[in-house]
Amino acid sequence: MQISSVRPVFFSPTGTSEAVVRAIADGVGVTVAEPVDLTRPEVRAQSLRTGPDELLVIGVPVYMGRIPELLGEWLAGLAADNTPAVCVAVYGNRAFEDSLIELRNAVAERGGAVVACAAYIGEHSFSDPALPTAQGRPDADDLAHAQSLGRKVRERLDAMAGVSAADMAAVPGDYPSPKPTKLWDVDFIAVDDGCVQCGLCAEVCPVGAIDPEDSARIDVEKCITCCACIKRCPQGARSVKPGPVMDARKRLNANFGEPKQPEWFF
Ligand SMILES: Cc1cc2nc3c(=O)[nH]c(=O)nc-3n(C[C@H](O)[C@H](O)[C@H](O)COP(=O)(O)O)c2cc1C
């Protein structure tokens, strides 16, 4: 079957899922449609309708072995009318657990024909140069690998007469997942004197948890601990305080140093 375009869709507070999705989409070798960046709250407020002549490439980060809970509503409104789809979980070198099966099933339930799934490794949200976990991933090799997945999916589609929801890539994981999706409500961000109140942190926050007038005022109930504000602060003025996130950073650094490799599922 022929597709006329590929549609990149991602939620990506610290940019790793976006990089992987864009590389896969590039590799397909057809026109790349305007990306749908679900990191932006106003984009999540709009539903997406896709058709059978396009390929959907959707990637999200793994949060505690699940897909981020805040995507549930958007996924429930997706109308993927017999659209071939590639589902991608990007994880911080620990484990992707039930995230990929959850994403695959959500897309299939909305009409997508999930012809391929993949798990890629991204720098852990809690990583920093002093206590790194998967620092710098996806690297050049990961992105070349992701491009080759795009080419592979194109070849497979070319060889198929058409797709249906029965074309569902087999992936590991439990569905429904017994794991909780509730994230920590934790006051974990320190803001130092380097902050110039430029407001960028409030802009990049996917959930509007930071006061644009006072970047040190953070709504811990809204905050999803994604660390976008810390990693994107141009002054490097935001850091992780001692507490559960710092403890997780240390644990990850101690236990998940061995680099994992991307996996494909058809
Ligand atoms: C709240 C939270 C939970 C996470 N849980 C996991 C996990 O269970 N397994 C894992 O390997 N990485 C986990 N990560 C790391 C992210 O999946 C990883 O860093 C990903 O590359 C971030 O994607 P992004 O750059 O698109 O935001 C977690 C990150 C956060 C913020």
Side-chain angles (χ1 to χ4, degrees), residues 11-18 60-66 90-97 121-126 183 224-227:
F11 174 75
S12 190
T14 63
T16 63
S17 307
E18 173 176 354
V60 305
V62 176
Y63 283 178
M64 310 233 194
R66 304 284 305 263
V90 179
Y91 70 106
N93 206 53
R94 187 185 69 78
F96 62 90
E97 296 172 297
I121 294 83
E123 176 173 318
H124 201 291
S125 317
F126 300 162
L183 301 173
I224 56 167
T225 66
C226 72
C227 298

Coordinates of all heavy atoms in Angstrom, one line a residue, residues 11-18 60-66 90-97 121-126 183 224-227, ligand 1:
F11 N 4.8 13.6 22.8 CA 4.8 14.3 24.0 C 6.2 14.3 24.5 O 6.7 13.1 24.6 CB 3.8 13.7 25.0 CG 3.9 14.3 26.4 CD1 3.3 15.6 26.6 CD2 4.5 13.7 27.5 CE1 3.3 16.2 27.9 CE2 4.5 14.3 28.7 CZ 3.9 15.6 28.9
S12 N 6.9 15.4 24.7 CA 8.3 15.3 24.9 C 8.9 16.5 25.7 O 9.5 17.4 25.2 CB 9.0 15.2 23.6 OG 10.4 14.9 23.7
P13 N 8.6 16.5 27.0 CA 9.1 17.6 27.8 C 10.6 17.9 27.7 O 11.0 19.1 27.7 CB 8.7 17.2 29.3 CG 7.6 16.3 29.1 CD 7.8 15.6 27.8
T14 N 11.4 16.9 27.6 CA 12.9 17.1 27.6 C 13.5 16.8 26.2 O 14.7 16.7 26.0 CB 13.7 16.4 28.7 OG1 13.5 15.0 28.6 CG2 13.2 16.9 30.1
G15 N 12.6 16.6 25.2 CA 13.0 16.5 23.8 C 13.5 15.2 23.3 O 13.8 15.1 22.1
T16 N 13.6 14.2 24.1 CA 14.2 12.9 23.6 C 13.2 12.1 22.7 O 13.5 11.6 21.7 CB 14.7 12.0 24.7 OG1 13.7 11.6 25.6 CG2 15.8 12.7 25.5
S17 N 11.9 12.1 23.2 CA 10.9 11.4 22.4 C 10.7 12.1 21.1 O 10.5 11.5 20.0 CB 9.5 11.4 23.2 OG 9.7 10.9 24.5
E18 N 10.7 13.4 21.1 CA 10.6 14.2 19.9 C 11.7 13.8 18.9 O 11.4 13.6 17.7 CB 10.6 15.7 20.2 CG 10.7 16.6 18.9 CD 10.6 18.1 19.2 OE1 10.5 18.5 20.3 OE2 10.8 18.8 18.2
V60 N 6.1 8.7 23.0 CA 5.9 9.3 24.4 C 7.0 8.8 25.3 O 7.5 7.6 25.1 CB 4.5 9.0 24.9 CG1 3.4 9.4 24.0 CG2 4.3 7.6 25.3
P61 N 7.3 9.5 26.4 CA 8.2 9.0 27.4 C 7.5 8.0 28.3 O 6.3 8.1 28.5 CB 8.6 10.3 28.1 CG 7.6 11.3 27.9 CD 6.9 10.9 26.6
V62 N 8.3 7.2 28.9 CA 7.8 6.2 29.9 C 7.9 6.9 31.3 O 8.9 7.4 31.6 CB 8.7 4.9 29.9 CG1 8.3 4.0 31.0 CG2 8.6 4.3 28.5
Y63 N 6.8 6.9 31.9 CA 6.7 7.4 33.3 C 6.3 6.3 34.2 O 5.1 5.9 34.2 CB 5.7 8.6 33.4 CG 6.2 9.9 32.9 CD1 5.4 11.1 32.9 CD2 7.5 10.1 32.3 CE1 5.8 12.3 32.4 CE2 8.0 11.3 31.8 CZ 7.1 12.4 31.8 OH 7.5 13.6 31.3
M64 N 7.2 5.8 35.1 CA 6.9 4.7 36.0 C 6.3 3.5 35.3 O 5.3 3.0 35.8 CB 6.0 5.2 37.1 CG 6.5 6.5 37.8 SD 6.6 6.4 39.5 CE 6.8 8.0 40.0
G65 N 6.9 3.2 34.2 CA 6.5 2.0 33.4 C 5.2 2.1 32.7 O 4.7 1.2 32.1
R66 N 4.6 3.3 32.7 CA 3.3 3.6 32.0 C 3.5 4.7 31.0 O 4.5 5.4 31.0 CB 2.3 4.0 33.0 CG 2.0 3.1 34.2 CD 1.2 1.9 33.7 NE -0.1 2.2 33.1 CZ -1.3 2.3 33.7 NH1 -1.3 2.0 35.0 NH2 -2.4 2.5 33.1
V90 N 9.8 5.9 24.7 CA 11.2 6.3 25.0 C 11.4 6.3 26.5 O 10.7 7.0 27.2 CB 11.4 7.7 24.3 CG1 12.9 8.2 24.6 CG2 11.2 7.7 22.8
Y91 N 12.4 5.6 26.9 CA 12.6 5.4 28.3 C 14.1 5.7 28.7 O 15.0 5.6 27.9 CB 12.2 4.0 28.8 CG 13.0 2.9 28.3 CD1 13.9 2.2 29.2 CD2 13.0 2.4 27.0 CE1 14.7 1.1 28.7 CE2 13.8 1.4 26.5 CZ 14.6 0.7 27.4 OH 15.4 -0.3 27.0
G92 N 14.2 6.0 30.0 CA 15.5 6.4 30.5 C 16.5 5.3 31.0 O 17.1 5.5 32.0
N93 N 16.6 4.3 30.2 CA 17.5 3.2 30.4 C 17.2 2.3 31.6 O 18.0 1.5 32.0 CB 19.0 3.7 30.5 CG 20.0 2.7 30.1 OD1 19.9 2.1 29.0 ND2 21.0 2.4 30.9
R94 N 16.0 2.5 32.2 CA 15.7 1.5 33.3 C 14.8 0.4 32.6 O 15.3 -0.6 32.4 CB 14.9 2.2 34.4 CG 14.7 1.3 35.6 CD 13.8 1.9 36.7 NE 12.4 2.1 36.3 CZ 11.5 1.2 36.3 NH1 11.8 0.0 36.6 NH2 10.2 1.5 35.9
A95 N 13.5 0.7 32.3 CA 12.6 -0.3 31.7 C 11.4 0.4 31.1 O 11.0 1.5 31.7 CB 12.2 -1.3 32.8
F96 N 10.8 -0.2 30.1 CA 9.6 0.5 29.5 C 8.4 -0.2 30.0 O 7.2 0.2 29.8 CB 9.7 0.6 28.0 CG 9.8 -0.6 27.2 CD1 8.7 -1.3 26.8 CD2 11.0 -1.2 26.9 CE1 8.7 -2.5 26.0 CE2 11.1 -2.3 26.1 CZ 10.0 -3.0 25.7
E97 N 8.5 -1.4 30.6 CA 7.4 -2.1 31.2 C 6.1 -2.1 30.4 O 6.0 -2.7 29.3 CB 7.3 -1.6 32.6 CG 8.5 -2.0 33.4 CD 8.6 -1.4 34.8 OE1 8.6 -0.1 34.9 OE2 8.7 -2.1 35.7
I121 N 15.9 4.6 23.8 CA 16.4 5.1 25.1 C 16.7 6.6 25.0 O 17.3 7.1 24.0 CB 17.7 4.4 25.5 CG1 17.4 2.9 25.8 CG2 18.4 5.0 26.8 CD1 17.3 2.0 24.6
G122 N 16.2 7.3 26.0 CA 16.5 8.8 26.0 C 17.1 9.1 27.4 O 16.9 8.4 28.4
E123 N 17.9 10.2 27.4 CA 18.5 10.7 28.6 C 17.4 10.7 29.7 O 16.3 11.3 29.5 CB 19.1 12.0 28.4 CG 19.7 12.7 29.6 CD 20.4 14.0 29.3 OE1 21.1 14.0 28.3 OE2 20.2 14.9 30.1
H124 N 17.7 10.1 30.9 CA 16.7 10.1 31.9 C 16.4 11.6 32.4 O 17.3 12.4 32.6 CB 17.2 9.3 33.1 CG 16.0 8.8 33.9 ND1 15.3 9.7 34.7 CD2 15.4 7.6 34.1 CE1 14.3 9.0 35.3 NE2 14.4 7.8 34.9
S125 N 15.1 11.8 32.5 CA 14.7 13.2 33.0 C 15.4 13.6 34.2 O 15.7 14.8 34.4 CB 13.2 13.1 33.2 OG 12.5 12.4 32.2
F126 N 15.7 12.6 35.1 CA 16.4 13.0 36.4 C 17.9 13.0 36.3 O 18.6 13.3 37.2 CB 16.0 12.0 37.5 CG 14.5 11.9 37.7 CD1 13.9 10.8 38.4 CD2 13.6 12.9 37.3 CE1 12.6 10.7 38.7 CE2 12.2 12.8 37.6 CZ 11.7 11.7 38.3
L183 N 1.8 10.4 39.8 CA 3.2 10.7 40.0 C 3.4 11.4 41.3 O 2.4 11.8 42.0 CB 3.7 11.6 38.8 CG 3.6 11.0 37.4 CD1 3.9 12.0 36.4 CD2 4.5 9.8 37.3
I224 N 4.5 17.5 37.0 CA 4.6 16.1 36.7 C 6.1 15.6 36.8 O 6.4 14.5 36.3 CB 4.0 15.7 35.3 CG1 4.7 16.5 34.2 CG2 2.5 15.9 35.3 CD1 4.4 16.0 32.8
T225 N 7.0 16.4 37.4 CA 8.4 16.1 37.6 C 9.1 15.8 36.3 O 10.1 15.0 36.3 CB 8.6 15.0 38.7 OG1 8.1 13.7 38.2 CG2 7.9 15.3 40.0
C226 N 8.7 16.4 35.2 CA 9.3 16.0 33.9 C 10.7 16.6 33.8 O 11.4 16.2 32.9 CB 8.4 16.5 32.8 SG 8.4 18.3 32.5
C227 N 11.0 17.7 34.5 CA 12.3 18.3 34.5 C 12.6 19.2 33.3 O 13.8 19.6 33.1 CB 13.4 17.3 34.8 SG 13.3 16.5 36.4
Ligands
LIG1 C1 8.1 10.9 36.4 C2 9.0 10.2 35.5 C3 9.0 8.8 35.5 C4 9.9 8.1 34.7 N1 9.8 6.7 34.7 C5 10.7 6.0 34.0 C6 10.6 4.5 34.0 O1 9.7 3.9 34.5 N2 11.6 3.9 33.2 C7 12.6 4.5 32.6 O2 13.4 3.8 32.0 N3 12.6 5.9 32.5 C8 11.7 6.6 33.2 N4 11.7 8.0 33.1 C9 12.6 8.6 32.2 C10 12.0 9.1 30.9 O3 11.2 8.0 30.4 C11 13.1 9.4 29.9 O4 14.0 10.3 30.4 C12 12.6 10.0 28.6 O5 13.6 9.9 27.6 C13 12.0 11.4 28.7 O6 11.4 11.7 27.5 P1 11.3 13.3 27.0 O7 12.7 13.7 26.7 O8 10.6 13.1 25.7 O9 10.6 14.1 28.0 C14 10.8 8.7 33.9 C15 10.8 10.1 33.9 C16 9.9 10.9 34.7 C17 10.0 12.3 34.6

